[in-house]
Amino acid sequence: MWGWIVINKHQDEVFVESTNVEELRARRVWKFLLVTWATWIVNGIFVWSRGYQMAATVCLIDSLVHLVIVVSLWNHANYRRILNLNLFVSAIGLFCVSISDPATAVTMLYFPVSIVVASQVVGVRAAFYWLVASVIAFLLFYTTAYGLHGAFYTPRFDELVLVVGVAVCTFFCCQQGEQYYQLRIRRLITLSQDLEKKSEMLRHLATTDALTGLINRFQFQETLRDRVARACTESERMALFLLDMDGFKEINDTLGHPVGDKTLVEIASRLSTAFGARSDVARLGGDEFCIIYPQLRDRDQAKSIAAEICEVLRRRYVLEEAEFPLGVSVGYALCPDHTETDRELLAFADTAMFCAKEHRLGQACYEAEMTKRLVEYRKVQEHLSHALEQNEFFLAYQPQADVHTEEVTGVEALLRWRHHGEVIPPDRFIRLLEESRQIIPVGKWLVHEACRQLAEWTRAGYDIKISINVSVVQFKDEDFCKNVADAVEEWSIEPGKLDLEVTEGLLIDDIEQAVTRLNTIKEMGISISIDDFGTGYSSFAYLRKLPIDRLKIDRAFIKDIPKADDGQIASTVIVLAKTLGLKVLAEGVETEEQLAFLK
């Protein structure tokens, strides 16, 4: 009866679109007209065959009138008027058939049908009108057929009351049915509203990052696809900025994840405030964010936006629990300048961001050369993963000489990698080993290989020490001390001939754990040196706590002696070491002038 109902939400109001309902009711009216027309023809044929000529004539005339209504009003928009006209013509026909012969009087009982039809097709108000019409029709029929006195005389009066009662009962049944359907419709509308709200909530959850409120990776991909398509079709320029926070991992590790989460929220707030009104800001996951910037003027504007991003995110973070700075690396690519596909645009921006992060540029715009370097980087990474099992690593030994006697007293074991006959520089693979944590098994191999070589030299009669550089990742490994002890025991070397070099930055990360682990090493009889001293964060107080034997001056403070003032730093380190009772090793001494100064 109510047809289809469509719910739309606009400015917190719900509107029921009645277009489909009206169309459905109109179709039902026209079907009813056709059915009524056919019914009059069938009834006419029937009463004619039974010999009721007057009734047959009425049926024929009524069917012709219905046919005229159907043909002439076929495109008429007011179907309610058409229905009422149809019912009116049918009512006259029924009345005439009923009074044409006493045997056809029962035809009057069809009058309550008009109440049902009006209720179902148009509504309960129209049904009430046809209730009144039916009562009037019954009164006219009884007074016409039986006279005024006969109509209100028993038993005709009883018949009149009964048929009127049937009409009234039919109306109230239709009214109750109408109320029932209205109640169901209201419930359906309420259900539709609830489902719409839940659908909106689910859509929000599916497209929004729960922590920051920015659009998430899923919605970002949809938005990026639309923006790229629009930029290509409308000849616009757009930019995709990919951001990665520098130093965020340390925030989580040192201050805890709750502070890390608040930091991410603060980052999102800064980006939304600065760029939300003119771009789409998204969080892809972790500490990685992106900005889709449409309607870009030129590359210079993209460069200035990248600089603005860096400025916004590098401002000091002041939270309830802590205050700290953060860095950011921004890579960006342009559409359609660099590509016309969303996938490539994201890949190019990621490549530019990787380049900015690797070279500490702050920001970088994509260039084709970056992809070539990245492909090479990935190849090195892939080959490196198989280097240990394919025995491609080897050790080179750099001599360490006494400054007074100039005799070699020790060597430093340096890790080298030979792949397909090419010796690859350590600056191209050491960091990769640390990032992938492959440095742990490789470092274990390095310690064992250095101890093997030391045992071989000792058997050959050489009295020499070996220094081994220890990676931060390697030093923090739970099995590090055990691996060193196993190597010393396996090759039966004197622990005092083994020296482990650790960086000062490594020690500051967790001073208590570092001291514990260094004491374990010292108890084995192995000496400890601080590598690259002067480039990190060591203080005199820290040095007093650490069980170390030697300071190693970084070559950065040696290479320009005596031309630069670096001699002052080297002198200070030497004096400090003597004060603490430590030995000193200077790295990178290559000229007579440098040697003379150190002497």
Side-chain angles (χ1 to χ4, degrees), residues 193-265:
Q193 294 175 10
D194 292 342
L195 290 176
E196 186 179 10
K197 289 179 181 178
K198 290 180 180 179
S199 176
E200 180 66 22
M201 182 179 67
L202 290 175
R203 189 196 69 80
H204 179 77
L205 292 174
T207 59
T208 306
D209 179 62
L211 178 63
T212 62
L214 301 177
I215 61 175
N216 60 11
R217 178 180 289 273
F218 170 77
Q219 184 61 31
F220 157 76
Q221 292 172 340
E222 294 291 328
T223 304
L224 179 63
R225 190 177 299 113
D226 294 342
R227 292 292 191 185
V228 169
R230 185 179 303 176
C232 295
T233 56
E234 298 181 6
S235 300
E236 294 181 354
R237 179 183 277 111
M238 61 155 291
L240 175 63
F241 297 87
L242 208 58
L243 295 58
D244 189 78
M245 303 306 297
D246 300 331
F248 179 76
K249 183 179 181 298
E250 287 72 14
I251 300 299
N252 274 337
D253 293 343
T254 57
L255 300 178
H257 288 277
V259 176
D261 288 346
K262 290 182 180 180
T263 305
L264 292 174
V265 173

Side-chain angles (χ1 to χ4, degrees), residues 54-210:
M54 180 65 71
T57 303
V58 172
C59 289
L60 176 61
I61 294 172
D62 214 283
S63 65
L64 291 175
V65 173
H66 277 290
L67 182 60
V68 171
I69 293 174
V70 171
V71 174
S72 61
L73 300 179
W74 183 258
N75 294 321
H76 200 281
N78 194 337
Y79 66 87
R80 288 180 173 85
R81 184 175 298 174
I82 296 171
L83 176 66
N84 288 325
L85 180 60
N86 173 74
L87 292 176
F88 178 73
V89 172
S90 294
I92 294 176
L94 288 173
F95 183 80
C96 293
V97 169
S98 299
I99 64 174
S100 66
D101 193 283
T104 59
V106 72
T107 307
M108 284 297 297
L109 294 178
Y110 279 98
F111 261 87
V113 174
S114 64
I115 302 173
V116 178
V117 171
S119 171
Q120 291 293 307
V121 178
V122 181
V124 71
R125 180 179 296 180
F128 176 75
Y129 297 151
W130 282 103
L131 168 63
V132 175
S134 297
V135 172
I136 294 173
F138 281 127
L139 290 173
L140 287 175
F141 170 76
Y142 273 84
T143 55
T144 301
Y146 307 112
L148 187 60
H149 179 268
F152 294 95
Y153 183 77
T154 308
R156 297 300 178 188
F157 180 72
D158 295 342
E159 290 181 8
L160 177 60
V161 172
L162 288 175
V163 294
V164 171
V166 170
V168 173
C169 182
T170 301
F171 168 75
F172 281 109
C173 287
C174 292
Q175 184 187 47
Q176 292 301 313
E178 180 84 1
Q179 291 178 353
Y180 169 71
Y181 285 124
Q182 287 180 354
L183 177 61
R184 290 191 62 185
I185 289 301
R186 283 196 295 270
R187 289 178 177 175
L188 285 173
I189 292 174
T190 302
L191 177 62
S192 298
Q193 294 175 10
D194 292 342
L195 290 176
E196 186 179 10
K197 289 179 181 178
K198 290 180 180 179
S199 176
E200 180 66 22
M201 182 179 67
L202 290 175
R203 189 196 69 80
H204 179 77
L205 292 174
T207 59
T208 306
D209 179 62

Side-chain angles (χ1 to χ4, degrees), residues 1-3 21-35 79 83 116-117 119-122:
M1 170 178 143
W2 287 95
V21 177
E22 298 298 313
E23 290 178 357
L24 178 60
R25 284 180 170 176
R27 288 197 300 268
R28 293 170 70 179
V29 166
W30 288 114
K31 289 179 180 178
F32 177 71
L33 258 64
L34 293 173
V35 169
Y79 66 87
L83 176 66
V116 178
V117 171
S119 171
Q120 291 293 307
V121 178
V122 181

